[in-house]
Amino acid sequence: NLSEWANFRSTRSSSGWSSRGGQTRNPYAAERNPCGSSSGPAVAVSANLCAIAIGTETNGSIACPASINGVVGLKPTVGLWSRSGIIPISHTQDTAGPMTRNVRDAAILLGALAGTDPEDQVTAGHPEKILPDYLQFLKVDGLKGKRIGVEKSFLDDHEAVDALLQKAIDQMKAAGAEVIPVELKAKVQVGGSEFELLQQEFKHGVNKYLSSADAKVKTLADVIAFNKKNEGRAMPYFKQEILESSEEKKGLESEAYKKAARLRVDIVKITANFDFI
């Protein structure tokens, strides 16, 4: 079970809730948020229902539930794993990834599913970078000599969380890493462009996916209409304003999308000036 539409249905959605599966619960405290959108895989691994699981992530949907439920989650580089069959949000950012009890298992699963797929052309981009075995990179002294940038604003949010983050930083330093405070957020002002990009790509991707899917709904507009018709069952706690506003977008040829895409390129250029992220 996962957050319905990967938490891309409503601004008030509940992580881990879907109209098909109900509410996924945090195994450490059943009344607490399991985070999302890949809530079920993280909880299943955390509760020892399985050794490994697969989540999907656009922005944080593996990392957050992995963190909240105390397991290892990894978002691979887009193109390392095939996305074939996954309902999309963003064709430029989506990917599946491993969710496991430990780092070693994550490395094993990463290699097992890495490869090219004719159904996902992005996987054909750099086949030489796809390796069958990532265990070779698990080194006890792997942090020695590495430069790790830490966004300064993250160290001034909540005293208890700040203390935990500082402890992790101290551990990385003790393992040989050079930890450098950075002010990346001050240099990169994304604003609403990221959300604009996601909505445009979401509408395009969902329409393409549903057009050939074995389902009665064939477009995003059909999904919206279905939810309205079955509101009591499909939308008992929150609505679908993100679906509706995404449906209003003009497509990947629109100036709004092109502007958002250009900003993404600018951000890459800015971050490329750092030799640490």
Side-chain angles (χ1 to χ4, degrees), residues 66-179:
S67 173
I68 295 298
N69 295 285
V71 300
V72 175
L74 172 68
K75 181 184 183 181
T77 300
V78 174
L80 189 63
W81 279 21
S82 171
R83 287 94 49 91
S84 178
I86 297 173
I87 299 175
I89 291 181
S90 166
H91 64 267
T92 59
Q93 298 180 53
D94 292 348
T95 184
M99 305 187 83
T100 61
R101 297 177 191 170
N102 55 63
V103 174
R104 179 180 175 82
D105 286 352
I108 293 171
L109 185 55
L110 182 67
L113 291 189
T116 58
D117 179 5
E119 297 296 322
D120 184 358
Q121 291 302 313
V122 179
T123 63
H126 300 281
E128 73 281 357
K129 294 185 178 180
I130 297 175
L131 304 176
D133 179 19
Y134 290 86
L135 289 174
Q136 61 182 299
F137 301 108
L138 300 187
K139 300 176 181 178
V140 175
D141 60 349
L143 284 177
K144 193 169 292 184
K146 297 294 188 296
R147 306 176 78 213
I148 299 174
V150 176
E151 169 59 48
K152 290 173 68 174
S153 63
F154 294 156
L155 282 166
D156 187 24
D157 189 30
H158 185 284
E159 61 275 7
V161 177
D162 295 345
L164 288 172
L165 182 54
Q166 186 60 55
K167 181 179 179 181
I169 291 171
D170 292 341
Q171 289 174 332
M172 288 189 289
K173 288 180 177 178
E178 180 184 4
V179 179

